Amino acid sequence: MDIFSLNGKVALVTGGSYGIGFAIASALAEAGARVVFNDLNQVLVDNGLAAYSKADIKVNGYVCDVTDEAAVQAMVTQIEEEVGVIDILVNNAGMIKRIPMTEMSAEDFRKVVDVDLNAPFIMAKTVIPSMVKKGGGKIINICSMMSELGRETVSAYAAAKGGLKMLTKNIASEFGHLNIQCNGLGPGYIETPQTAPLREPGHPFNNFILAKTPANRWGRTDDLKGPAVFLASPASDFVNGHILYVDGGILAYIGKQP
């Protein structure tokens, strides 16, 4: 099972201080990687450092706005100097604004696209040159159910995540011959603090998700650990441009008959 080992690898998880990013970073560390993460401000980074310390995981944390190309370049340079060349990039940082399309300002639309699509582009273009020099690397873009499906009030998020799916495929196409694999990981509806109010028994949205999910439950952050390690490891060296949906079967299911 050495093909799943990440020993000696450096992994950067953006927005990795909590939630899905924290779970993925923890899994990569458990598989042997040296993990670094960033977040938007020092409070989030400090909270993340405390959480990793509690889990007995050694990490480095950096404050960086991933939509700022100069800041990203400075962070990557600092990571290379302090930890090493990044072998694994997980583009996890993201945001969503739930606003009906006709009520959403163009500024808000651009902001969501900037964080969810432009930032992964900036991160990838910054780490790829060192990956090429080192002989290869792994990029994992955190996609979404909205990379495939539409839904009310998430026009910007769906547009960005759909674009991220195609950016994933294009990075694979452009750099696959240089031993860089770029794949997407698409979580279904996951239990996080943000979704806690929606998961209350009897809540209409909770009932809706359970009815649409063949697994008949919400996903857990632990459900993403194995798929993330697979996409980060030599086990996936011939997997490129693929989006691995960890969704309990939602995309395979038309739904129950009324």
Side-chain angles (χ1 to χ4, degrees), residues 31-60:
R34 178 72 165 86
V35 171
V36 299
F37 76 97
N38 84 290
D39 223 312
L40 193 56
N41 58 57
Q42 192 64 54
V43 172
L44 289 171
V45 170
D46 288 343
N47 289 342
L49 290 171
Y52 287 109
S53 178
K54 186 176 180 180
D56 198 26
I57 297 172
K58 182 182 179 181
V59 298
N60 286 40

Side-chain angles (χ1 to χ4, degrees), residues 64-79:
C64 181
D65 178 353
V66 289
T67 68
D68 182 335
E69 188 168 4
V72 167
Q73 290 171 342
M75 177 183 67
V76 170
T77 297
Q78 187 177 358
I79 291 169

Side-chain angles (χ1 to χ4, degrees), residues 22 46 50 56 77 88 148 168 191 194 225 232 247 253:
F22 179 85
D46 288 343
D56 198 26
T77 297
I88 302 158
E148 300 290 344
T168 300
E191 294 178 356
Q194 290 86 351
K225 289 185 173 183
D247 66 354
Y253 187 42

Side-chain angles (χ1 to χ4, degrees), residues 2 4-10 28-34 87-88 234:
D2 287 347
F4 292 98
S5 173
L6 302 180
N7 287 334
K9 302 297 185 182
V10 175
L28 301 183
E30 290 168 20
R34 178 72 165 86
D87 301 286
I88 302 158

